[in-house]
Amino acid sequence: MNKFFLNLGIQPLANNYLPNFRIKQKKYNLKLNFNTKSKIVSISKRISSKEMFHSKYPYRSSLSKTMIDSFKKISLEISKKFNPDLILEIGSNDGALICNFEQNKVIGVEPCSNLAQITQKKGYKTYDKYWDYNLSKTLKKKFKKIDLIYSANTLTHISDLDEVFRSITNVLSNSGVLIIEDPSLLECIKNNAYDQFYNEHIYVFSIISLKNILNKFNLEIFDVKNLQTHGGSLRYYIKRKKNKKINISSNVKKQIIKEVKFGLDKFITFKKFGKKIEKSREKLIKIFTEIRKNNKKIIGYGATAKAATVMNYCKINSNIISFFIDTTKEKTNKYLPGTNIKILKYHSKLIKKNDYIFLGAWNFKKEIFKKEIKFIRRGGKFITHVPYPRII
Ligand code: DWN
């Protein structure tokens, strides 16, 4: 049974950057549910994949050093630990992971054709298709044996999880390994990171909920790692249950215990989270209003899907935040979805003139602080809402 615990208000599609804020855009009521049986947290309104992931999708995973480094590290680990003959990446984006492998060792699947083209041009076999059973049949016919499947920040974006895993089990070899990584529900709830919930993030997994889903497909988690990426993610290492050659690490039990201790299997935890988020909103609005009362300027750093979610939930407009800066070409000179706040191309000069910067990309805080050391040294301040609204 799905039980409602938080209403994040009327939201646009979080990656729908428009050249004019007056253009009418699709909006929906963003509500979060906890399923008391499967323990999965999901958003109530599902938007079709075609509307979200298309030939103009703006998000590029290779635009941050943190992500490049993380993908490099896991690529080395994959080669060293599993030495696969053929790797499949589901949701290869602009190739931040697959570019670490030789072209004949890896296949990408990326439905956003603008992104798929980037890796196709570099000689990587990339299917610009949605991950589904039909595609898995095509791959099985063509490649016979895929011994490693990797997918980061993608499977939680697909509504039909049964089809996702049925298709994976269709192509994964018997001794094959599936590695998936996504934001950790535990970290989201602990850090009050409510902006991890928006139209693209249909689910936010915990190990408890993922285990329940995998069970149906005779898959099991044999290891799990906590990552710093995207504000705290989990990387799950998965195999077929019948493959007894791989031992189950004690990390799996430890993570389950951690989540149960925190109450991720109980509705009351999410109910309390919902109340905390309403307070978080009030506090953030208060911080912004007081700064503006003193005629100080605030800009936003990182026009993320998360920032769009926060701005729309808190009903913040350009009277509060003058503009956002971002390095993504596809986002600049457009507006943060659902707001009249313009996004300007990142330039250090734009930072200098301001007093406060709201961290839209709070998940890259370390990387950004390092880059903006001059702003910090001359007394510039950052504002964040994670784990609670404050000025840094
Ligand atoms: O799952 C998803 C993740 C992985 O990425 C998607 N549903 C959509 C997207 O979410 P997001 O927009 O919240 O992602 P990021 O990775 O937090 O976006 C960072 C943004 O900040 C990018 O637009 C690039 C920008 N940026 C910047 O301008 N300067 C980032 C850094 C580190 C910088 O120095």
Side-chain angles (χ1 to χ4, degrees):
M1 183 188 165
N2 270 337
K3 284 179 95 173
F4 161 82
F5 64 89
L6 178 61
N7 186 349
L8 289 171
I10 303 300
Q11 296 276 351
L13 304 191
N15 261 306
N16 190 26
Y17 299 84
L18 295 172
N20 183 336
F21 67 86
R22 289 198 173 86
I23 297 175
K24 220 173 161 354
Q25 58 183 302
K26 183 170 183 157
K27 290 194 176 171
Y28 68 104
N29 191 186
L30 179 55
K31 287 182 177 171
L32 311 186
N33 291 325
F34 171 73
N35 189 290
T36 49
K37 191 166 173 237
S38 66
K39 315 292 180 196
I40 197 155
V41 167
S42 62
I43 59 170
S44 59
K45 169 98 180 122
R46 311 283 164 96
I47 311 289
S48 77
S49 295
K50 284 196 178 97
E51 278 184 79
M52 297 190 286
F53 310 113
H54 43 66
S55 60
K56 290 195 171 63
Y57 189 68
Y59 178 73
R60 301 270 311 261
S61 48
S62 63
L63 288 185
S64 112
K65 192 180 171 312
T66 313
M67 292 316 295
I68 292 279
D69 291 349
S70 173
F71 285 127
K72 200 169 265 165
K73 226 168 140 188
I74 181 65
S75 303
L76 284 173
E77 186 189 322
I78 287 174
S79 301
K80 222 172 139 189
K81 235 191 206 162
F82 305 108
N83 190 25
D85 287 330
L86 190 59
I87 302 161
L88 166 69
E89 188 186 11
I90 306 172
S92 48
N93 197 275
D94 62 354
L97 175 104
I98 64 177
C99 289
N100 292 301
F101 296 98
E102 282 165 34
Q103 279 88 342
N104 62 348
K105 278 251 174 186
V106 62
I107 315 156
V109 170
E110 176 48 64
C112 305
S113 54
N114 57 325
L115 302 173
Q117 274 163 21
I118 299 172
T119 47
Q120 284 162 349
K121 277 187 194 147
K122 289 182 183 162
Y124 288 92
K125 180 88 196 149
T126 312
Y127 288 81
D128 49 359
K129 290 198 173 337
Y130 296 95
W131 178 246
D132 61 14
Y133 196 67
N134 269 340
L135 179 59
S136 80
K137 282 203 292 195
T138 310
L139 296 181
K140 195 174 182 174
K141 222 185 215 171
K142 194 154 177 165
F143 300 101
K144 295 201 174 56
K145 188 173 156 275
I146 294 172
D147 30 35
L148 196 130
I149 301 179
Y150 176 84
S151 189
N153 304 302
T154 300
L155 302 188
T156 52
H157 294 53
I158 311 175
S159 184
D160 190 345
L161 290 177
D162 280 353
E163 176 152 14
V164 164
F165 290 104
R166 190 163 73 96
S167 313
I168 285 174
T169 47
N170 188 35
V171 287
L172 186 69
S173 65
N174 285 340
S175 57
V177 168
L178 163 68
I179 302 175
I180 61 182
E181 61 185 71
D182 282 286
S184 150
L185 183 64
L186 182 61
E187 296 307 314
C188 279
I189 303 296
K190 262 198 208 162
N191 292 318
N192 299 314
Y194 59 90
D195 49 349
Q196 287 287 15
F197 300 99
Y198 53 88
N199 60 303
E200 292 180 7
H201 291 182
I202 300 170
Y203 307 99
V204 176
F205 291 152
S206 60
I207 195 169
I208 300 173
S209 63
L210 185 63
K211 200 170 164 275
N212 289 338
I213 300 159
L214 295 173
N215 227 349
K216 289 197 241 171
F217 297 91
N218 288 317
L219 294 168
E220 66 185 346
I221 302 165
F222 66 87
D223 201 359
V224 62
K225 282 186 186 156
N226 279 274
L227 310 176
Q228 300 288 316
T229 51
H230 291 296
S233 297
L234 284 179
R235 179 180 288 149
Y236 307 92
Y237 298 75
I238 298 156
K239 65 172 184 72
R240 290 183 192 274
K241 280 186 183 170
K242 64 181 178 195
N243 175 5
K244 302 286 178 206
K245 283 188 186 143
I246 303 178
N247 295 326
I248 313 259
S249 156
S250 57
N251 293 338
V252 176
K253 202 166 178 189
K254 277 185 203 152
Q255 183 66 29
I256 296 173
I257 292 172
K258 222 158 87 177
E259 291 187 359
V260 171
K261 246 187 176 166
F262 195 84
L264 285 195
D265 56 341
K266 291 192 184 73
F267 177 65
I268 183 74
T269 309
F270 298 95
K271 191 90 194 143
K272 282 185 188 158
F273 169 75
K275 292 267 167 286
K276 272 167 94 178
I277 297 315
E278 285 163 13
K279 288 202 178 111
S280 169
R281 168 171 63 176
E282 281 166 30
K283 207 165 165 199
L284 185 65
I285 295 174
K286 203 168 160 211
I287 291 175
F288 283 149
T289 322
E290 270 166 22
I291 293 174
R292 292 297 293 129
K293 248 195 236 158
N294 295 323
N295 277 328
K296 299 278 183 202
K297 226 174 140 184
I298 313 171
I299 64 162
Y301 198 120
T304 58
K306 297 184 289 292
T309 308
V310 175
M311 296 295 109
N312 284 283
Y313 178 52
C314 299
K315 298 196 170 71
I316 303 296
N317 60 28
S318 61
N319 291 333
I320 300 279
I321 296 198
S322 309
F323 55 85
F324 266 80
I325 43 167
D326 201 287
T327 48
T328 317
K329 192 173 92 236
E330 290 79 357
K331 294 182 185 178
T332 48
N333 292 324
K334 293 191 178 152
Y335 288 83
L336 196 70
T339 75
N340 64 350
I341 309 173
K342 199 161 183 178
I343 303 161
L344 303 181
K345 187 174 169 10
Y346 172 85
H347 196 292
S348 55
K349 272 190 195 154
L350 289 171
I351 307 259
K352 269 188 203 159
K353 296 176 199 149
N354 298 287
D355 309 294
Y356 292 88
I357 295 176
F358 171 69
L359 269 176
W362 55 265
N363 43 317
F364 295 118
K365 191 169 92 183
K366 260 194 198 158
E367 186 177 335
I368 293 171
F369 281 11
K370 213 167 152 189
K371 213 151 107 189
E372 306 309 339
I373 189 73
K374 279 191 187 155
F375 171 78
I376 297 171
R377 284 206 181 122
R378 71 149 189 81
K381 302 266 188 263
F382 283 91
I383 304 166
T384 186
H385 62 291
V386 177
Y388 56 88
R390 68 194 199 282
I391 295 170
I392 310 174

